[in-house]
Amino acid sequence: MLVLAPGMAGAALLIRFSHVVAEDTPKGLAANRFKALVEQRSEQRIRVAVYPSARLYGDLDEMEALRLGAVEMVAPSLSKFGRIGFPEFELFDLPFLFDSNSEVRRVTQGAIGQRLLVQLRQQGLVGLGYLDNGLKQMSANRPLLEPDDFKGLRMRIQFSRVLASQFKALGARPVPLAFSETARALATGVVDGTENPVSNFWTQGMHKYQTDLSLTDHGYVGYAVVANGRFWNSLSEPDRTLIEQALREALQYGNQIADTQNAKALEALREAGTTRIHVLSPVQRARLRKLVQPVYDELAQRIGASWIEEAQKALGR
Ligand code: LMR
């Protein structure tokens, strides 16, 4: 977007970057780092306006806003691409597929990751890169350690068919909700529990409404940074290079701090004392893992088994 800022020589370029999480999260910090690098290196000729916490657009309208050019960049969770026509991204929602952020990067930084970003061009979107948050933990007002613990619980999920199947396989009732609505839904009893990396659980204040956090490490939340295609193609080569390099460094920074951010949030949660924290035994985790296996076959039916096989091969499985 070109802006004629008063007192600014020539037209400045404005990049509006909208996302749905708090600033003190891997994505929030990476977005702010991107802003700092772009503005510093362009000597303020290119400005970045970051809109965190769904202040501008949330889960249900950020991709439409991007397509319409109301914003230039967003960084949705990989779980949110299936709903807009890219079901292959739900690969990253498969429960117990990944045991760490570094394992995920063996997929996102490889052929699969690049192929998925190229797919986004079908809708005039430019996939620019991936960013980690971390492994998800289950929360509710009871410990979630054994399959029976999930029975009948209304669990908030992102808008993902894999996540809906995951909770149905556990005997729970999945409730898709926008991220920005989740804390309120927990507070008012619209849902009984949810799944998050601890950095999101803590920064959204969910701990005020959840008595138990069970460290299941059962899934992953990460992001793809996406730009509006018309905006991206309108950039001069030097500006595109400057922006790409700044984003590369910002994503490296975000990936470096993601694990630390989640560890800091867990420590803060322990100190707050609001929520009991449970560690599952290997046997308990294995029981949950066994129960959700049908989710793999369902996704294979929808996107083709080769995507899953290639991911498992990249993980050395
Ligand atoms: C969620 O909706 O739970 C997460 O995707 C939010 C985020 O962007 O981390």
Side-chain angles (χ1 to χ4, degrees):
M1 173 183 173
L2 289 180
V3 215
L4 285 171
M8 182 174 277
L13 184 62
L14 176 63
I15 299 174
R16 294 162 295 182
F17 190 153
S18 172
H19 69 77
V20 300
V21 293
E23 292 195 273
D24 189 21
T25 60
K27 175 160 60 174
L29 292 167
N32 290 345
R33 175 62 62 93
F34 171 68
K35 169 184 169 71
L37 290 172
V38 167
E39 293 184 349
Q40 176 201 11
R41 291 177 181 170
S42 70
E43 295 175 347
Q44 301 294 323
R45 186 178 51 78
I46 306 175
R47 295 189 358 252
V48 179
V50 179
Y51 299 95
S53 303
R55 259 180 233 154
L56 199 59
Y57 295 105
D59 283 357
L60 300 181
D61 52 12
E62 64 178 353
M63 288 308 272
E64 194 53 25
L66 183 74
R67 270 197 282 259
L68 294 173
V71 293
E72 283 69 43
M73 289 173 72
V74 295
S77 155
L78 299 171
S79 308
K80 299 174 182 173
F81 286 83
R83 177 171 172 265
I84 60 166
F86 301 105
E88 295 80 5
F89 278 79
E90 290 189 11
L91 178 72
F92 295 100
D93 289 336
L94 286 172
F96 297 103
L97 178 60
F98 302 106
D99 288 332
S100 66
N101 283 349
S102 54
E103 277 206 340
V104 175
R105 287 200 287 277
R106 290 169 65 176
V107 175
T108 55
Q109 307 307 341
I112 296 177
Q114 293 319 306
R115 228 167 41 237
L116 288 169
L117 293 183
V118 167
Q119 283 202 338
L120 298 176
R121 292 180 193 159
Q122 296 165 19
Q123 294 190 16
L125 304 172
V126 179
L128 296 173
Y130 292 95
L131 171 65
D132 290 327
N133 186 332
L135 296 182
K136 294 182 291 189
Q137 318 304 339
M138 294 286 190
S139 68
N141 289 325
R142 67 168 80 149
L144 297 177
L145 309 171
E146 300 287 354
D148 283 354
D149 297 336
F150 290 85
K151 290 258 180 295
L153 287 185
R154 294 163 300 164
M155 297 295 282
R156 179 266 171 178
I157 60 166
Q158 302 176 78
F159 289 83
S160 156
R161 289 174 62 174
V162 163
L163 298 180
S165 300
Q166 167 190 278
F167 278 111
K168 285 177 188 166
L170 291 169
R173 289 159 50 195
V175 180
L177 273 179
F179 183 63
S180 56
E181 296 300 313
T182 303
R184 188 177 18 243
L186 292 168
T188 55
V190 166
V191 294
D192 303 305
T194 184
E195 52 170 4
N196 290 284
V198 186
S199 61
N200 278 350
F201 180 83
W202 174 253
T203 55
Q204 292 295 311
M206 295 184 199
H207 59 286
K208 299 172 198 160
Y209 318 111
Q210 299 277 264
T211 58
D212 295 84
L213 182 77
S214 301
L215 301 181
T216 46
D217 278 349
H218 67 282
Y220 167 78
V221 167
Y223 314 105
V225 181
V226 189
N228 168 285
R230 287 186 307 281
F231 155 72
W232 193 252
N233 296 330
S234 72
L235 292 169
S236 68
E237 198 53 45
D239 283 353
R240 189 175 301 127
T241 302
L242 184 152
I243 292 165
E244 275 175 336
Q245 181 57 32
L247 183 63
R248 193 173 303 116
E249 291 177 36
L251 295 183
Q252 277 169 354
Y253 165 71
N255 287 334
Q256 280 162 6
I257 64 166
D259 286 339
T260 309
Q261 283 297 111
N262 282 299
K264 272 171 55 182
L266 185 59
E267 190 46 40
L269 180 64
R270 287 192 200 285
E271 282 169 22
T274 56
T275 306
R276 288 184 296 259
I277 298 168
H278 309 280
V279 179
L280 277 72
S281 70
V283 168
Q284 287 173 325
R285 205 162 169 270
R287 270 201 281 267
L288 295 182
R289 184 185 196 123
K290 186 171 187 307
L291 209 54
V292 297
Q293 282 312 301
V295 175
Y296 283 69
D297 299 335
E298 275 181 42
L299 183 61
Q301 289 291 319
R302 275 197 285 127
I303 68 171
S306 60
W307 283 96
I308 301 170
E309 290 159 1
E310 197 175 334
Q312 288 171 324
K313 190 172 167 210
L315 296 170
R317 302 268 165 77

